[in-house]
Amino acid sequence: MVVSMMASKDGGNNSCDLKTARLWRDAALRSRKLRSSLRQLTLTCGEQSKLILPEDLGDVEVLNLGNNSLEEVPDGLRSLAAGNLHVLILRRNKFLNVPSAVYELGRLTELDMSHNRLTCLTEAVGLLSQLKKLCLSHNQLQTLPRMIGGLLNLEELDVSFNRISHLPDTMQGLPRLRTLDLDHNDLCSFPQQLLHLPTLEELDFSGNKMLGCNCGGSLPEAIKAMKSLKVLWLSSTGLCSLPDSFYELVSLESLMLDNNSMSSLPAGFGSLQKLRMINLSSNSFQDFPEALLQLHELEELYISRNKLSVVPEEISRLFRLVTLWLDNNRIRYLPDSIVDLGLLEELVLQGNQIAILPDNFGKLSKVNIWKIKDNPLIQPPYEVCMKGIPYIAAYQKELAHSQPAVKPRLKLVLMGVRDSGKTVLRHCLTEGQQATPIMANKGIEVTNWTADAERGLTFIVYDLAGDLSYDIIKPFFLSPGALYVLVVNLKSYISKHFYMYVGYFLHFISAKVPHAVVCIVGTHADLCDEKEIEEKCLDIHHQISIQEKRDSKTLHNMAEVVDEALCQDYDMRASNPHAAFYGVNDKNLRRKKAHFQYLMNNRLQILSPVLCVSCHNYSNIRRLRDKLLSVAEHREIFPNLHRVLPKSWQMLEELHFKPQELWLTWWDSARLGLQAGLTEDRLQSALSYLHESGKLLYFEDNATLKEYVFHNLTKLIDILNVFFQRDASVLLQKLVSDNKVDELRSSQLHHYVEGFLLHGLLPNHIIKLLLKPHIKTHHDLQLILELLEKMGLCYCINKPKSKPLNGATAWYKFPCYVKNEVPHAEAWINGTNVSGQSLAVEQLQIEYSFPFIFPPGLFARFSVQINNHIVQRSDGKFQIFAYRGKVPVVVSFRTATGSLRSDVLSISSHASLPNIWTAWQAITPLVEELNALLQEWPGLHYTVHVLCSKCLKRGSPNPHTFPGALFPMTSHLTLGGLKFRDACVALC
C-alpha cells in the first residue's frame, strides 16, 4: 500500500483568470482550492489486493481512495463518521452501489463516485445533508432518488454520462444549487424542474439526443425564468431553433449551441449583452447571424462548419473579440474591417474559398493561433500565409515599398516507372524539337522551360527518376500548385500491372498533394498499332475509375462507422472495449469525420483522355505542349500562377540564381538583398517565401543552417543523386578517379562501397571523396552532412552528445540502404554489445496502419528523426532495436501480404510491472516524431491502434486493438495507461 499525505497553509486565495469557454474546468479548480488548506490522505493498493486504513485518521479531512478498482470500501470507514472527514473520493473504482458506510459519514461536504458502475442511488443519500458537491458522472444511473431534493446545502451536482431519463420533482427544491451537469443522458425533453432552481448559474444539457425538431421537442418558453444562468451548454441536442423568450436570459455569459440543426437566432438575441462566448459550430447557418453584431462584449465566437459565404463588414463592431473561428464554411473573401479586430489572438479560417486577404492584414499582430490551409490563396501567396501573421505583414509592407510583379511560372513534375520515357519527353518539350538519343535520367533533374516567351509563361520542370532508390527524396519535390505528368510506356504497359505503372503513383500524389492536377501521357505510341493504343488507354481509364471508386467507398464506409459511433452515447463507447471507438470522445470523432470528408472532397483531378505521344512525331508533342499551356492558364485550376509578388522578392530570386557556388552565407545573401532593395530586416521574410515555394533552401529553425542559403538547387540535387546511386561501379569510379590509387587502397575503397550498399554506412572521409567535385573544405562537408540530417536522409552514429570526436572517424548511416533483415551492423563501430529483445512482463505496442499507401521513404526518415531519442541502436532493413535510457524499444515495418491488408509500422516497448508507465514514457517521443513526419502527408489515410498487452503477453496472433486516442500524448500518462490496462483486463 502506498500512502501520501499533504498539508498546506495556503488559504487558496489564488485566482485563475480563465476564459469563459473553460468554465467547467473552473469548477474543478474551485474544488481544489477549497481542499488546499485541508489535511489530505491518498491511499493506493499497489501490489496488494486490499486497502487497509491506518488506525488514527481523526485529523484527516480529505480521503482519496480513487483508482484502486475497489468493489467495497475498506474496513473502518464508518469510524470516520465521528472525525473531521469532509471530502471522500472514490472515483475510478468498481462499485455497483454506494456503500452503506458512506451514508453514515454525515459530515461530508463533497463526495466523488464518478467512473464506477453504479446502477442506482438510494434514498439514503438524504442522510448526507451537509453535501455541497456530489459527483456521480460516468456510471449507469437511470434515475435519481426523491431524497436528492433534501440536500439543501448542495451547490454542485454532476450526473453526466449516465442513463437518466427523468428527474424527480423534488429537484426543484434545491435552493443553493449553482452547477448542474446533465451532459449525455437520456432526457427526451427539457426538465421542468430546472425552471424552479433560483440560484442555478451553470447548466450542461448537452448530448441529450431527443431534444430536436423531428420529435417535436424544444426548449420551453418558460426557460426565461432561469434568470441566474451564466453558462448554458446545449451541444448535440438536435435543436433547430431557440424560443423567442430566450433573450430574457440576460445573465448569460457563455453559450454552447454547437452540433445542432440551427439556421437562425431569435429576434431579440442581441439583448444578451453579458455574453462573452458563443459556439454555433456544426449547424446550418447560411447567413452570418446579424444579432451577433449587437453583442459588443463578445470575446469568443465559434461558427465553424456551417454554410456561410459572407462575413459582414460590421464584424468590426465586435471589437472585444479575442477568438474567431470561421473554418470549414464557404467564405470567398474577408471584409476589410476584420483588420480592426485588434485584440484577436485566435483566427481560424481553414477550409474556405479565400483567395485574397485584405490589405493591412498584418495589423492583427496579436494573433498567435492562426490556421489558413485549404484555401486557394493567391495574395499573399499560400507559402507566405502558412508562415503566420508576421510574414503576411512583411509581405504587405514589402508590396507597399516596391512595385508589384506578376511572374507566371508553374512547377511541372514528371513521374513514372523506370524507362517510361520521362527524360526524352522532357527534352522534346523544353527544346522544341524531335528527340535524339538521350541517356536515361539517373536521378532528379531540374530544367527551366520558357513555354511562351510572349506571355512570359515559364515552367520549372522536375524529372523524377523512376528508380525506387530515389523514393526517399521524391516527396521533397511534390508540392501544392504543381501540374503532375504521369508518364506511361504504352508499349510495355499491361493491364495486370496497372498499379505498378499508374495506381501507385496516383496514391503517392494524392497522399502528398490532395486535389492535385494529374495529366497522363502515354509514350512510345509509335511502337503500338492504333487498336493497341485504344485498348490500353481505355484500360488505364477504366482501372483508374475502379481504383477511385474503391478508395472512395472505403473512405465512405469508414465515415459511416464514425457516424454510427457518434449516434451512440459516449458512456456506451467508454464502457465497452469491443466498441469501434472505445473511449474516444465526440469531439475527436467529429475531427476524424471531418478528415474523412476532406479526403473525399479532395480527390485527384485527373485530366482525360490519356495523351498519346511519340517523340519521333513532333506534332503530337506540340499538341501535348498546347494542352499543358491551356491547363496551366486555367485560373480556377492554378490560381497561384497569377499571384502577385513584391518586385524586390522577384529580383532577389533572380539574383540568387546567378552565383555558381553550392550555397551562400547569410551575409552574401544579404548583399544580394540590398541589390534588390531589401534591407537586412526585410530579407528574412523574402527568403522564407523562397524556401516555402521550393526556389531555394533556407532553414531558419536550425542553429547551424540558418547562417546559410542553399540557392543552387541543381548542384544540391547532384549531391543527392550521388547518395542514391546504387550502382557499385559508378560509386567506385568516383572514389578511384585519382590515378595514383594503389591496389590496396582500391580494395579498401571497394570494401567501403560494399558496406554502403549493404548497411548504409559511410565514414566522413569517404563521403568527402564522393563529393569531391562539389565540396572543397572540411567545413563544406560538415555543412552538407548537417543538411542531409535535417532532411532526414542520414545521421551520425557515433557523434557524442556534447564533446567533439577528437579526431576519431565519424560514421554516417543512410537507413534507406540497409539490406540485412536482422539488425546487427553498428556494434563493431560503437564497441557495444547489442542486446536482443528482452523478456518482460508487459508490452506496450502502437500500430500505424496504412490501407492505401505507405509514404515512400518514411521508415528511413523516421529512423533518422528518432536518433536523438535512443541509444545502443541496431538497424535492420525494416526493424530497429534500441533503448530509451534503460527501456528497450522496437520499431518495425511490415508490408501488406495475405491477411495483412495494410502496411503496418509499429512502435513497442517493454517494462515489468508496476513500472509499465516507463514503457509509455519511452515511446511517447518516438510517436511524436512519427506524427510530425505524417503531417507532411495531408492526403494520407492511416489508423492508429494500441494493441492489447494481455493478448501480446500470451502470444495471440490476432490481438485486440484499441483506438490510438488511448495513447497519452501529454503528461497524463497514468490516466491513459489506466484506461488501457482496464480495457485489456476486460477483454482478456
Side-chain angles (χ1 to χ4, degrees), residues 239-242 257 260-266 280 282-286 306:
L239 275 175
C240 52
S241 63
L242 296 175
L257 293 167
N260 284 297
S261 303
M262 299 181 61
S263 58
S264 64
L265 295 176
L280 297 171
S282 299
N283 276 284
S284 302
F285 287 93
Q286 295 188 9
N306 278 277

Side-chain angles (χ1 to χ4, degrees), residues 690-746:
L690 293 175
H691 169 86
E692 295 295 335
S693 57
K695 308 297 174 50
L696 49 74
L697 295 181
Y698 175 60
F699 298 98
E700 55 188 311
D701 60 342
N702 184 284
T704 301
L705 298 178
K706 71 178 182 180
E707 300 299 326
Y708 300 90
V709 177
F710 297 87
H711 66 295
N712 196 332
L713 291 187
T714 302
K715 282 194 174 183
L716 182 59
I717 289 172
D718 288 342
I719 288 176
L720 294 178
N721 287 335
V722 169
F723 289 112
F724 297 97
Q725 169 59 254
R726 304 214 173 195
D727 189 326
S729 60
V730 174
L731 290 171
L732 193 60
Q733 186 177 0
K734 289 180 178 292
L735 294 175
V736 299
S737 58
D738 189 342
N739 295 329
K740 297 180 181 180
V741 175
D742 57 27
E743 186 175 342
L744 176 62
R745 177 64 171 160
S746 178

Side-chain angles (χ1 to χ4, degrees), residues 90-93 112-116 135-139:
L90 295 171
R91 69 194 316 265
R92 293 193 180 276
N93 284 295
D112 185 350
M113 291 202 68
S114 59
H115 295 272
N116 278 281
C135 186
L136 300 167
S137 67
H138 294 86
N139 280 287

Side-chain angles (χ1 to χ4, degrees), residues 313-378:
E313 281 285 344
E314 293 80 8
I315 190 77
S316 58
R317 294 180 189 172
L318 305 179
F319 59 92
R320 296 189 186 276
L321 273 185
V322 175
T323 300
L324 178 58
W325 288 40
L326 295 164
D327 57 288
N328 295 289
N329 279 283
R330 302 169 181 174
I331 300 168
R332 300 185 68 88
Y333 64 91
L334 295 173
D336 292 338
S337 63
I338 199 168
V339 304
D340 296 326
L341 300 177
L343 300 179
L344 269 186
E345 296 177 9
E346 298 182 21
L347 181 55
V348 179
L349 299 169
Q350 69 187 44
N352 281 289
Q353 299 170 27
I354 300 169
I356 298 175
L357 295 181
D359 293 338
N360 299 315
F361 201 77
K363 286 174 62 178
L364 300 174
S365 57
K366 291 187 177 181
V367 171
N368 52 63
I369 295 179
W370 162 249
K371 297 181 181 180
I372 189 65
K373 69 177 184 177
D374 303 330
N375 280 282
L377 293 160
I378 301 174

Side-chain angles (χ1 to χ4, degrees), residues 274-331:
K274 291 187 178 181
L275 206 60
R276 300 290 186 273
M277 186 277 285
I278 184 169
N279 189 341
L280 297 171
S281 298
S282 299
N283 276 284
S284 302
F285 287 93
Q286 295 188 9
D287 299 317
F288 192 93
E290 291 188 11
L292 296 180
L293 302 174
Q294 302 173 39
L295 304 176
H296 299 153
E297 301 298 314
L298 199 63
E299 296 175 1
E300 300 177 53
L301 172 57
Y302 304 89
I303 194 164
S304 310
R305 296 180 298 280
N306 278 277
K307 301 175 182 178
L308 303 181
S309 56
V310 174
V311 178
E313 281 285 344
E314 293 80 8
I315 190 77
S316 58
R317 294 180 189 172
L318 305 179
F319 59 92
R320 296 189 186 276
L321 273 185
V322 175
T323 300
L324 178 58
W325 288 40
L326 295 164
D327 57 288
N328 295 289
N329 279 283
R330 302 169 181 174
I331 300 168

Side-chain angles (χ1 to χ4, degrees), residues 646-659 664 666 668-679 682-690 695-696 709 711:
K647 193 170 184 179
S648 56
W649 287 19
Q650 181 182 317
M651 289 179 62
L652 183 71
E653 177 185 345
E654 293 169 353
L655 289 169
H656 273 78
F657 282 158
K658 294 179 180 179
L664 299 173
W666 164 263
D668 290 335
S669 183
R671 280 190 284 272
L672 293 178
L674 288 175
Q675 294 181 43
L678 286 165
T679 54
R682 290 152 52 202
L683 178 65
Q684 182 96 2
S685 297
L687 286 177
S688 175
Y689 161 74
L690 293 175
K695 308 297 174 50
L696 49 74
V709 177
H711 66 295

Side-chain angles (χ1 to χ4, degrees), residues 447-482:
T447 307
N448 285 302
W449 171 33
T450 302
D452 191 317
E454 291 183 5
R455 289 177 286 177
L457 182 60
T458 61
F459 289 87
I460 306 175
V461 185
Y462 286 79
D463 182 359
L464 305 188
D467 196 319
L468 295 178
S469 62
Y470 289 87
D471 275 1
I472 190 172
I473 58 173
K474 288 177 188 175
F476 290 110
F477 303 101
L478 273 60
S479 57

